[in-house]
Amino acid sequence: MDTTVAPTGTEGQTWGGGSNPLKASYGKMMMWFFILSDALTFSGFLAAYGFSRFKFIEEWPIADEVFNHFPFMHGTDAPMFYVALMTFILIGSSVTMVLAVDAGHHMDRKKVSFYLLLTVIGGLIFVGSQAWEWKNFINGEYGAVKTKGGKILQFTDSEGSRVALNEFVTVGERPVEALGNNEGIWYQSDDPIGSTYTIDEVRKGFAANPDLRIRTQQLIVNEKTGASEKLLLSREESLFKLNNQAVGVVEGANLSENEYGAPLFADFFFFITGFHGFHVFSGVLFNLIIFFNVLLGTYERRGSYEMVEKVGLYWHFVDLVWVFVFTFFYLV
């Protein structure tokens, strides 16, 4: 039996690339294409992070111990407080962006410029906050030592509270030998350049303080609280680890070492938050350009504030990505 197909009147016709597919302008369509491709990029990064984290789940740093700083409150344990504030500021900038787009629909130049300026300020505060957080992460807070296998050993008191190296290690003399005129201006030493303390100084200070213990990277579950925590060694086990397996001092975090735990954590943190921070900074520049065009009356003469709407799509995307980055790095 033949199938009867009702005619639609569009047989043999194809879309010729008109300027209004899905009732969206060419510019907005291209912005959506960019957002889609960028979303796939971030998805790949976060998927790689998740895979690496669960592969090394027993060695991963505890976020509450890493991101516990707050400006002008040195020494205060404030886990996630500043990160939460950063997130609130960025989400608030999305609200001001929505208000700017709405004002553009009403052709209200004053309100568009005002809300765009607030969005720019929010973006700059967020980028500055990320830079401050990077500085603290790079400098570190307590210091640690590493073993021959690259594992991190941290120091605590008998109750498990972290103890910084400068609380029990004393800096000794540094024997150095100047190079010749044909050998450069650097100095040679048995200790790695950049470390405040030598491993021998750490061993000596640890031995002189019987209340100190060593905490390993290994995560265990506390039977009483059900929370994850690092394995705390006895005094005898701590001395054995430090005297027989420790080979160097680690202060702060970089792409090869991380005093908080697995080096991969630092690698992903710098790459993903840096990539997102670049997007936020780019969005701030875009918004600044649009802001000055609004002041000059460019969009009034065009009779449309669609450019504000297009840059708004990008800004909302950047904010949405941060929600996932925040969840993966700080909450999970």
Side-chain angles (χ1 to χ4, degrees), residues 70-99:
F70 204 93
F72 311 111
M73 295 174 61
H74 182 71
T76 301
D77 186 25
M80 302 298 176
F81 285 15
Y82 195 56
V83 180
L85 178 61
M86 289 167 51
T87 304
F88 176 79
I89 291 172
L90 193 62
I91 292 176
S93 70
S94 258
V95 175
T96 57
M97 191 77 239
V98 169
L99 295 173

PDB file of all heavy atoms in Angstrom, residues 70-99:
ATOM      1  N   PHE A  70      41.099  34.475  54.702  1.00  0.00           N
ATOM      2  CA  PHE A  70      40.209  35.614  54.490  1.00  0.00           C
ATOM      3  C   PHE A  70      41.038  36.878  54.621  1.00  0.00           C
ATOM      4  O   PHE A  70      41.876  36.980  55.522  1.00  0.00           O
ATOM      5  CB  PHE A  70      39.068  35.614  55.520  1.00  0.00           C
ATOM      6  CG  PHE A  70      37.848  36.351  55.045  1.00  0.00           C
ATOM      7  CD1 PHE A  70      36.822  35.685  54.402  1.00  0.00           C
ATOM      8  CD2 PHE A  70      37.733  37.726  55.239  1.00  0.00           C
ATOM      9  CE1 PHE A  70      35.700  36.358  53.954  1.00  0.00           C
ATOM     10  CE2 PHE A  70      36.620  38.411  54.791  1.00  0.00           C
ATOM     11  CZ  PHE A  70      35.594  37.721  54.147  1.00  0.00           C
ATOM     12  N   PRO A  71      40.843  37.856  53.720  1.00  0.00           N
ATOM     13  CA  PRO A  71      41.660  39.079  53.768  1.00  0.00           C
ATOM     14  C   PRO A  71      41.602  39.785  55.117  1.00  0.00           C
ATOM     15  O   PRO A  71      40.537  39.874  55.736  1.00  0.00           O
ATOM     16  CB  PRO A  71      41.030  39.945  52.662  1.00  0.00           C
ATOM     17  CG  PRO A  71      40.385  38.977  51.734  1.00  0.00           C
ATOM     18  CD  PRO A  71      39.902  37.855  52.594  1.00  0.00           C
ATOM     19  N   PHE A  72      42.758  40.256  55.556  1.00  0.00           N
ATOM     20  CA  PHE A  72      42.911  41.030  56.799  1.00  0.00           C
ATOM     21  C   PHE A  72      42.562  40.212  58.049  1.00  0.00           C
ATOM     22  O   PHE A  72      42.367  40.774  59.123  1.00  0.00           O
ATOM     23  CB  PHE A  72      42.047  42.303  56.764  1.00  0.00           C
ATOM     24  CG  PHE A  72      42.201  43.101  55.512  1.00  0.00           C
ATOM     25  CD1 PHE A  72      41.160  43.195  54.597  1.00  0.00           C
ATOM     26  CD2 PHE A  72      43.400  43.748  55.224  1.00  0.00           C
ATOM     27  CE1 PHE A  72      41.304  43.922  53.424  1.00  0.00           C
ATOM     28  CE2 PHE A  72      43.550  44.485  54.056  1.00  0.00           C
ATOM     29  CZ  PHE A  72      42.499  44.567  53.159  1.00  0.00           C
ATOM     30  N   MET A  73      42.487  38.898  57.900  1.00  0.00           N
ATOM     31  CA  MET A  73      42.203  38.028  59.049  1.00  0.00           C
ATOM     32  C   MET A  73      43.227  36.899  59.066  1.00  0.00           C
ATOM     33  O   MET A  73      42.886  35.726  59.051  1.00  0.00           O
ATOM     34  CB  MET A  73      40.781  37.468  58.966  1.00  0.00           C
ATOM     35  CG  MET A  73      39.696  38.522  59.065  1.00  0.00           C
ATOM     36  SD  MET A  73      38.030  37.857  58.799  1.00  0.00           S
ATOM     37  CE  MET A  73      37.912  36.677  60.136  1.00  0.00           C
ATOM     38  N   HIS A  74      44.502  37.272  59.080  1.00  0.00           N
ATOM     39  CA  HIS A  74      45.572  36.287  59.027  1.00  0.00           C
ATOM     40  C   HIS A  74      45.547  35.399  60.271  1.00  0.00           C
ATOM     41  O   HIS A  74      45.432  35.873  61.402  1.00  0.00           O
ATOM     42  CB  HIS A  74      46.932  36.986  58.932  1.00  0.00           C
ATOM     43  CG  HIS A  74      48.080  36.029  58.831  1.00  0.00           C
ATOM     44  ND1 HIS A  74      48.327  35.289  57.704  1.00  0.00           N
ATOM     45  CD2 HIS A  74      49.039  35.683  59.728  1.00  0.00           C
ATOM     46  CE1 HIS A  74      49.398  34.524  57.902  1.00  0.00           C
ATOM     47  NE2 HIS A  74      49.841  34.757  59.127  1.00  0.00           N
ATOM     48  N   GLY A  75      45.617  34.087  60.014  1.00  0.00           N
ATOM     49  CA  GLY A  75      45.614  33.141  61.116  1.00  0.00           C
ATOM     50  C   GLY A  75      44.237  32.659  61.508  1.00  0.00           C
ATOM     51  O   GLY A  75      44.112  31.731  62.306  1.00  0.00           O
ATOM     52  N   THR A  76      43.196  33.288  60.965  1.00  0.00           N
ATOM     53  CA  THR A  76      41.819  32.871  61.275  1.00  0.00           C
ATOM     54  C   THR A  76      41.401  31.752  60.329  1.00  0.00           C
ATOM     55  O   THR A  76      41.570  31.862  59.115  1.00  0.00           O
ATOM     56  CB  THR A  76      40.848  34.056  61.119  1.00  0.00           C
ATOM     57  OG1 THR A  76      41.253  35.105  61.997  1.00  0.00           O
ATOM     58  CG2 THR A  76      39.426  33.628  61.449  1.00  0.00           C
ATOM     59  N   ASP A  77      40.872  30.683  60.905  1.00  0.00           N
ATOM     60  CA  ASP A  77      40.428  29.561  60.099  1.00  0.00           C
ATOM     61  C   ASP A  77      39.006  29.840  59.608  1.00  0.00           C
ATOM     62  O   ASP A  77      38.046  29.755  60.366  1.00  0.00           O
ATOM     63  CB  ASP A  77      40.462  28.272  60.924  1.00  0.00           C
ATOM     64  CG  ASP A  77      40.153  27.045  60.068  1.00  0.00           C
ATOM     65  OD1 ASP A  77      40.379  27.108  58.850  1.00  0.00           O
ATOM     66  OD2 ASP A  77      39.679  26.035  60.613  1.00  0.00           O
ATOM     67  N   ALA A  78      38.878  30.215  58.333  1.00  0.00           N
ATOM     68  CA  ALA A  78      37.574  30.551  57.749  1.00  0.00           C
ATOM     69  C   ALA A  78      37.382  29.753  56.466  1.00  0.00           C
ATOM     70  O   ALA A  78      37.451  30.302  55.363  1.00  0.00           O
ATOM     71  CB  ALA A  78      37.491  32.048  57.472  1.00  0.00           C
ATOM     72  N   PRO A  79      37.154  28.439  56.576  1.00  0.00           N
ATOM     73  CA  PRO A  79      37.058  27.602  55.375  1.00  0.00           C
ATOM     74  C   PRO A  79      35.910  27.994  54.470  1.00  0.00           C
ATOM     75  O   PRO A  79      34.759  28.090  54.906  1.00  0.00           O
ATOM     76  CB  PRO A  79      36.858  26.190  55.960  1.00  0.00           C
ATOM     77  CG  PRO A  79      36.308  26.406  57.328  1.00  0.00           C
ATOM     78  CD  PRO A  79      36.912  27.689  57.809  1.00  0.00           C
ATOM     79  N   MET A  80      36.226  28.276  53.215  1.00  0.00           N
ATOM     80  CA  MET A  80      35.268  28.558  52.146  1.00  0.00           C
ATOM     81  C   MET A  80      34.571  29.911  52.266  1.00  0.00           C
ATOM     82  O   MET A  80      33.782  30.268  51.390  1.00  0.00           O
ATOM     83  CB  MET A  80      34.189  27.466  52.070  1.00  0.00           C
ATOM     84  CG  MET A  80      34.730  26.088  51.852  1.00  0.00           C
ATOM     85  SD  MET A  80      35.615  25.986  50.278  1.00  0.00           S
ATOM     86  CE  MET A  80      36.212  24.313  50.356  1.00  0.00           C
ATOM     87  N   PHE A  81      34.826  30.681  53.318  1.00  0.00           N
ATOM     88  CA  PHE A  81      34.114  31.947  53.488  1.00  0.00           C
ATOM     89  C   PHE A  81      34.404  32.905  52.333  1.00  0.00           C
ATOM     90  O   PHE A  81      33.500  33.507  51.765  1.00  0.00           O
ATOM     91  CB  PHE A  81      34.500  32.611  54.819  1.00  0.00           C
ATOM     92  CG  PHE A  81      33.880  31.961  56.026  1.00  0.00           C
ATOM     93  CD1 PHE A  81      33.312  30.704  55.946  1.00  0.00           C
ATOM     94  CD2 PHE A  81      33.859  32.605  57.243  1.00  0.00           C
ATOM     95  CE1 PHE A  81      32.745  30.087  57.044  1.00  0.00           C
ATOM     96  CE2 PHE A  81      33.290  32.011  58.364  1.00  0.00           C
ATOM     97  CZ  PHE A  81      32.731  30.743  58.260  1.00  0.00           C
ATOM     98  N   TYR A  82      35.702  33.047  52.009  1.00  0.00           N
ATOM     99  CA  TYR A  82      36.057  34.002  50.960  1.00  0.00           C
ATOM    100  C   TYR A  82      35.630  33.498  49.591  1.00  0.00           C
ATOM    101  O   TYR A  82      35.207  34.289  48.736  1.00  0.00           O
ATOM    102  CB  TYR A  82      37.563  34.269  50.987  1.00  0.00           C
ATOM    103  CG  TYR A  82      37.949  35.490  50.188  1.00  0.00           C
ATOM    104  CD1 TYR A  82      37.377  36.719  50.467  1.00  0.00           C
ATOM    105  CD2 TYR A  82      38.875  35.411  49.151  1.00  0.00           C
ATOM    106  CE1 TYR A  82      37.710  37.851  49.743  1.00  0.00           C
ATOM    107  CE2 TYR A  82      39.220  36.536  48.431  1.00  0.00           C
ATOM    108  CZ  TYR A  82      38.629  37.751  48.719  1.00  0.00           C
ATOM    109  OH  TYR A  82      38.957  38.862  48.002  1.00  0.00           O
ATOM    110  N   VAL A  83      35.726  32.204  49.364  1.00  0.00           N
ATOM    111  CA  VAL A  83      35.274  31.638  48.090  1.00  0.00           C
ATOM    112  C   VAL A  83      33.775  31.850  47.926  1.00  0.00           C
ATOM    113  O   VAL A  83      33.286  32.155  46.835  1.00  0.00           O
ATOM    114  CB  VAL A  83      35.622  30.135  48.011  1.00  0.00           C
ATOM    115  CG1 VAL A  83      35.145  29.553  46.696  1.00  0.00           C
ATOM    116  CG2 VAL A  83      37.117  29.931  48.173  1.00  0.00           C
ATOM    117  N   ALA A  84      33.030  31.682  49.022  1.00  0.00           N
ATOM    118  CA  ALA A  84      31.583  31.924  48.980  1.00  0.00           C
ATOM    119  C   ALA A  84      31.290  33.387  48.661  1.00  0.00           C
ATOM    120  O   ALA A  84      30.369  33.694  47.890  1.00  0.00           O
ATOM    121  CB  ALA A  84      30.951  31.530  50.306  1.00  0.00           C
ATOM    122  N   LEU A  85      32.088  34.299  49.232  1.00  0.00           N
ATOM    123  CA  LEU A  85      31.908  35.725  48.945  1.00  0.00           C
ATOM    124  C   LEU A  85      32.200  36.024  47.479  1.00  0.00           C
ATOM    125  O   LEU A  85      31.456  36.775  46.828  1.00  0.00           O
ATOM    126  CB  LEU A  85      32.821  36.548  49.850  1.00  0.00           C
ATOM    127  CG  LEU A  85      32.788  38.065  49.641  1.00  0.00           C
ATOM    128  CD1 LEU A  85      31.394  38.615  49.914  1.00  0.00           C
ATOM    129  CD2 LEU A  85      33.820  38.750  50.540  1.00  0.00           C
ATOM    130  N   MET A  86      33.272  35.436  46.941  1.00  0.00           N
ATOM    131  CA  MET A  86      33.589  35.611  45.529  1.00  0.00           C
ATOM    132  C   MET A  86      32.431  35.137  44.647  1.00  0.00           C
ATOM    133  O   MET A  86      32.053  35.802  43.668  1.00  0.00           O
ATOM    134  CB  MET A  86      34.851  34.809  45.175  1.00  0.00           C
ATOM    135  CG  MET A  86      36.136  35.344  45.734  1.00  0.00           C
ATOM    136  SD  MET A  86      37.491  34.135  45.588  1.00  0.00           S
ATOM    137  CE  MET A  86      37.380  33.692  43.854  1.00  0.00           C
ATOM    138  N   THR A  87      31.884  33.988  44.988  1.00  0.00           N
ATOM    139  CA  THR A  87      30.780  33.431  44.207  1.00  0.00           C
ATOM    140  C   THR A  87      29.561  34.338  44.266  1.00  0.00           C
ATOM    141  O   THR A  87      28.892  34.582  43.248  1.00  0.00           O
ATOM    142  CB  THR A  87      30.419  32.032  44.737  1.00  0.00           C
ATOM    143  OG1 THR A  87      31.589  31.207  44.708  1.00  0.00           O
ATOM    144  CG2 THR A  87      29.325  31.398  43.907  1.00  0.00           C
ATOM    145  N   PHE A  88      29.264  34.866  45.446  1.00  0.00           N
ATOM    146  CA  PHE A  88      28.128  35.775  45.604  1.00  0.00           C
ATOM    147  C   PHE A  88      28.314  37.027  44.745  1.00  0.00           C
ATOM    148  O   PHE A  88      27.371  37.509  44.102  1.00  0.00           O
ATOM    149  CB  PHE A  88      27.972  36.152  47.075  1.00  0.00           C
ATOM    150  CG  PHE A  88      26.889  37.150  47.334  1.00  0.00           C
ATOM    151  CD1 PHE A  88      25.561  36.749  47.372  1.00  0.00           C
ATOM    152  CD2 PHE A  88      27.200  38.486  47.538  1.00  0.00           C
ATOM    153  CE1 PHE A  88      24.552  37.676  47.609  1.00  0.00           C
ATOM    154  CE2 PHE A  88      26.200  39.417  47.780  1.00  0.00           C
ATOM    155  CZ  PHE A  88      24.869  39.011  47.811  1.00  0.00           C
ATOM    156  N   ILE A  89      29.540  37.562  44.714  1.00  0.00           N
ATOM    157  CA  ILE A  89      29.810  38.766  43.922  1.00  0.00           C
ATOM    158  C   ILE A  89      29.629  38.482  42.436  1.00  0.00           C
ATOM    159  O   ILE A  89      29.026  39.284  41.700  1.00  0.00           O
ATOM    160  CB  ILE A  89      31.232  39.276  44.209  1.00  0.00           C
ATOM    161  CG1 ILE A  89      31.320  39.824  45.636  1.00  0.00           C
ATOM    162  CG2 ILE A  89      31.651  40.346  43.205  1.00  0.00           C
ATOM    163  CD1 ILE A  89      32.722  40.169  46.085  1.00  0.00           C
ATOM    164  N   LEU A  90      30.116  37.336  41.971  1.00  0.00           N
ATOM    165  CA  LEU A  90      29.987  37.013  40.551  1.00  0.00           C
ATOM    166  C   LEU A  90      28.529  36.788  40.162  1.00  0.00           C
ATOM    167  O   LEU A  90      28.083  37.242  39.107  1.00  0.00           O
ATOM    168  CB  LEU A  90      30.819  35.767  40.224  1.00  0.00           C
ATOM    169  CG  LEU A  90      31.030  35.481  38.733  1.00  0.00           C
ATOM    170  CD1 LEU A  90      31.802  36.624  38.079  1.00  0.00           C
ATOM    171  CD2 LEU A  90      31.771  34.175  38.520  1.00  0.00           C
ATOM    172  N   ILE A  91      27.772  36.099  41.007  1.00  0.00           N
ATOM    173  CA  ILE A  91      26.349  35.893  40.718  1.00  0.00           C
ATOM    174  C   ILE A  91      25.610  37.236  40.764  1.00  0.00           C
ATOM    175  O   ILE A  91      24.706  37.498  39.959  1.00  0.00           O
ATOM    176  CB  ILE A  91      25.741  34.897  41.725  1.00  0.00           C
ATOM    177  CG1 ILE A  91      26.328  33.500  41.485  1.00  0.00           C
ATOM    178  CG2 ILE A  91      24.220  34.848  41.596  1.00  0.00           C
ATOM    179  CD1 ILE A  91      25.878  32.463  42.484  1.00  0.00           C
ATOM    180  N   GLY A  92      26.007  38.110  41.689  1.00  0.00           N
ATOM    181  CA  GLY A  92      25.412  39.444  41.736  1.00  0.00           C
ATOM    182  C   GLY A  92      25.666  40.224  40.467  1.00  0.00           C
ATOM    183  O   GLY A  92      24.806  40.989  40.004  1.00  0.00           O
ATOM    184  N   SER A  93      26.847  40.035  39.860  1.00  0.00           N
ATOM    185  CA  SER A  93      27.142  40.719  38.599  1.00  0.00           C
ATOM    186  C   SER A  93      26.261  40.203  37.469  1.00  0.00           C
ATOM    187  O   SER A  93      25.978  40.927  36.512  1.00  0.00           O
ATOM    188  CB  SER A  93      28.621  40.549  38.241  1.00  0.00           C
ATOM    189  OG  SER A  93      28.916  39.216  37.862  1.00  0.00           O
ATOM    190  N   SER A  94      25.815  38.949  37.567  1.00  0.00           N
ATOM    191  CA  SER A  94      24.870  38.431  36.578  1.00  0.00           C
ATOM    192  C   SER A  94      23.530  39.134  36.701  1.00  0.00           C
ATOM    193  O   SER A  94      22.850  39.390  35.697  1.00  0.00           O
ATOM    194  CB  SER A  94      24.683  36.920  36.768  1.00  0.00           C
ATOM    195  OG  SER A  94      25.415  36.189  35.815  1.00  0.00           O
ATOM    196  N   VAL A  95      23.137  39.442  37.927  1.00  0.00           N
ATOM    197  CA  VAL A  95      21.874  40.164  38.142  1.00  0.00           C
ATOM    198  C   VAL A  95      21.952  41.558  37.526  1.00  0.00           C
ATOM    199  O   VAL A  95      21.024  42.002  36.830  1.00  0.00           O
ATOM    200  CB  VAL A  95      21.562  40.252  39.651  1.00  0.00           C
ATOM    201  CG1 VAL A  95      20.325  41.110  39.899  1.00  0.00           C
ATOM    202  CG2 VAL A  95      21.368  38.865  40.236  1.00  0.00           C
ATOM    203  N   THR A  96      23.057  42.256  37.754  1.00  0.00           N
ATOM    204  CA  THR A  96      23.199  43.595  37.168  1.00  0.00           C
ATOM    205  C   THR A  96      23.260  43.523  35.649  1.00  0.00           C
ATOM    206  O   THR A  96      22.801  44.437  34.958  1.00  0.00           O
ATOM    207  CB  THR A  96      24.452  44.295  37.711  1.00  0.00           C
ATOM    208  OG1 THR A  96      25.617  43.491  37.449  1.00  0.00           O
ATOM    209  CG2 THR A  96      24.331  44.508  39.215  1.00  0.00           C
ATOM    210  N   MET A  97      23.811  42.415  35.117  1.00  0.00           N
ATOM    211  CA  MET A  97      23.833  42.243  33.663  1.00  0.00           C
ATOM    212  C   MET A  97      22.420  42.080  33.115  1.00  0.00           C
ATOM    213  O   MET A  97      22.069  42.637  32.062  1.00  0.00           O
ATOM    214  CB  MET A  97      24.679  41.014  33.311  1.00  0.00           C
ATOM    215  CG  MET A  97      25.008  40.877  31.834  1.00  0.00           C
ATOM    216  SD  MET A  97      26.312  42.009  31.309  1.00  0.00           S
ATOM    217  CE  MET A  97      25.438  42.922  30.039  1.00  0.00           C
ATOM    218  N   VAL A  98      21.574  41.324  33.815  1.00  0.00           N
ATOM    219  CA  VAL A  98      20.174  41.163  33.411  1.00  0.00           C
ATOM    220  C   VAL A  98      19.465  42.510  33.412  1.00  0.00           C
ATOM    221  O   VAL A  98      18.702  42.837  32.491  1.00  0.00           O
ATOM    222  CB  VAL A  98      19.457  40.178  34.353  1.00  0.00           C
ATOM    223  CG1 VAL A  98      17.949  40.211  34.122  1.00  0.00           C
ATOM    224  CG2 VAL A  98      19.972  38.768  34.149  1.00  0.00           C
ATOM    225  N   LEU A  99      19.726  43.312  34.452  1.00  0.00           N
ATOM    226  CA  LEU A  99      19.100  44.630  34.534  1.00  0.00           C
ATOM    227  C   LEU A  99      19.576  45.541  33.402  1.00  0.00           C
ATOM    228  O   LEU A  99      18.793  46.362  32.886  1.00  0.00           O
ATOM    229  CB  LEU A  99      19.409  45.263  35.895  1.00  0.00           C
ATOM    230  CG  LEU A  99      18.810  44.538  37.110  1.00  0.00           C
ATOM    231  CD1 LEU A  99      19.317  45.164  38.408  1.00  0.00           C
ATOM    232  CD2 LEU A  99      17.282  44.580  37.057  1.00  0.00           C
TER     233      LEU A  99
END
